[in-house]
Amino acid sequence: MKDVTISEVEPFIKTDPPVRLVLRRAKDRETVVDVKGIEIGGREIVVMAGPCAVESEEQLLSIARAVKASGARILRGGAFKPRTSPYSFQGLKEEGLKLLDLARTETGLAVVTEVMDARHLDVVCAHTDILQVGSRNMQNFTLLEEVGKCRKPVLLKRGMSATLDEYLQAAEYLMKGGNDQVILCERGIRTFETSTRNTLDLNAVPMLKRHTHLPVIVDPSHGTGHWWMVPRLASAAIAVGADGLLVEVHCHPESALSDGQQSLTPPDFDRMMKTIRAVAAAVGRQ
Ligand code: PEP
Ligand code: MN
């Protein structure tokens, strides 16, 4: 991809002082994040899939086996869950992290899970291959500073009301701390539209790829809130240049403890994987 001139950057990077390290011109090549040999930001489309929340050993292992069989490379699953209501299931916490270890050992999948609080950073780091910083914490600058000191890949989700400028400044916090293994993730933004949970901003993908060297993935599950929309938006994401996907999968979405309405069943996930393989090939990806 060709470098951009400062005049091309200015229309969207408005703040002063501007971001530096995340910009394409700060580096002479794309950032490829290596997660135990899995390259995110290379030619391969990397799919991360699993339940919204880790609920039990049986739940997690059955989903992990299924997504692996369909071609996912990384298992997602929340152990510390940022829930809007304090009365909703908050996650299994450390017990959930141990179940992620079990699933990694059994399937060989790498693991991504969210860290919500700097006080949990050590324990989450000990059990995960990628640290997820969620939408609600994108501007938790003290957390970003602590995560920036870790030498572990980070999946930074876009804040639900964040402009791309604000998003890149959040990524800059991580890189300024010395952590250059940053993956960006578009997960939908708040708009006036209420028929979907969020509005998946696919404009963000080519815009971020144009201005930064960081890999960009898309989460069509939180981006739509409807399981039946997920495969279509997943295809669209690959078509516009995403480097990967983050997708929620559950064997029994109707009884999931969180986000069942946007979770694919394993057969639906398998069909989605076949389709995106064709889309990836059509855009020169693998
Ligand atoms: C999640 O991926 O489980 C999650 C809570 O997502 P977000 O931070 O995008 O809402
Ligand atoms: Mn979720």
Side-chain angles (χ1 to χ4, degrees), residues 6-231:
I6 190 139
S7 60
E8 286 173 294
V9 168
E10 271 170 352
F12 124 65
I13 312 264
K14 290 194 172 65
T15 47
D16 191 30
V19 288
R20 297 174 192 163
L21 303 169
V22 299
L23 290 187
R24 181 164 285 290
R25 64 194 152 85
K27 208 173 161 184
D28 55 7
R29 65 202 137 75
E30 307 287 316
T31 289
V32 176
V33 175
D34 189 311
V35 181
K36 297 179 16 182
I38 304 162
E39 294 191 340
I40 302 161
R43 229 188 128 235
E44 187 192 338
I45 302 294
V46 176
V47 178
M48 312 180 186
C52 178
V54 178
E55 298 171 14
S56 69
E57 179 175 335
E58 197 279 321
Q59 175 247 19
L60 185 65
L61 287 180
S62 56
I63 297 168
R65 289 186 201 111
V67 299
K68 162 134 188 179
S70 299
R73 306 293 307 273
I74 297 173
L75 177 65
R76 65 146 291 146
F80 292 90
K81 291 302 303 175
R83 303 305 299 277
T84 302
S85 166
Y87 303 112
S88 299
F89 175 58
Q90 302 287 310
L92 295 181
K93 308 199 162 83
E94 268 199 78
E95 182 54 32
L97 296 175
K98 288 180 191 151
L99 293 178
L100 288 165
D101 281 337
L102 200 65
R104 178 197 296 103
T105 306
E106 185 179 311
T107 61
L109 289 167
V111 163
V112 56
T113 198
E114 179 161 352
V115 59
M116 279 175 58
D117 188 318
R119 290 171 298 185
H120 306 146
L121 202 46
D122 287 346
V123 68
V124 177
C125 274
H127 296 276
T128 196
D129 302 301
I130 305 175
L131 287 165
Q132 179 171 324
V133 174
S135 188
R136 290 156 189 81
N137 267 326
M138 189 209 84
Q139 286 188 315
N140 181 340
F141 301 117
T142 52
L143 177 64
L144 295 177
E145 278 174 350
E146 292 306 311
V147 172
K149 291 179 198 157
C150 298
R151 294 299 167 263
K152 178 100 37 195
V154 187
L155 193 167
L156 176 66
K157 297 190 98 178
R158 180 181 183 183
M160 60 185 81
S161 301
T163 64
L164 294 181
D165 186 4
E166 290 161 340
Y167 189 22
L168 288 187
Q169 295 194 67
E172 187 82 10
Y173 266 89
L174 298 171
M175 292 197 67
K176 184 171 177 286
N179 192 333
D180 57 1
Q181 301 290 290
V182 179
I183 305 156
L184 300 173
C185 180
E186 162 59 36
R187 49 77 73 202
I189 52 174
R190 283 261 167 103
T191 69
F192 53 82
E193 181 53 61
T194 54
S195 68
T196 46
R197 181 175 179 178
N198 290 293
T199 296
L200 188 64
D201 180 16
L202 289 181
N203 289 355
V205 179
M207 190 63 87
L208 290 169
K209 298 288 291 180
R210 181 173 176 81
H211 291 287
T212 85
H213 50 78
L214 298 171
V216 179
I217 71 164
V218 169
D219 172 352
S221 305
H222 293 87
T224 62
H226 298 298
W227 67 269
W228 57 271
M229 290 182 78
V230 170

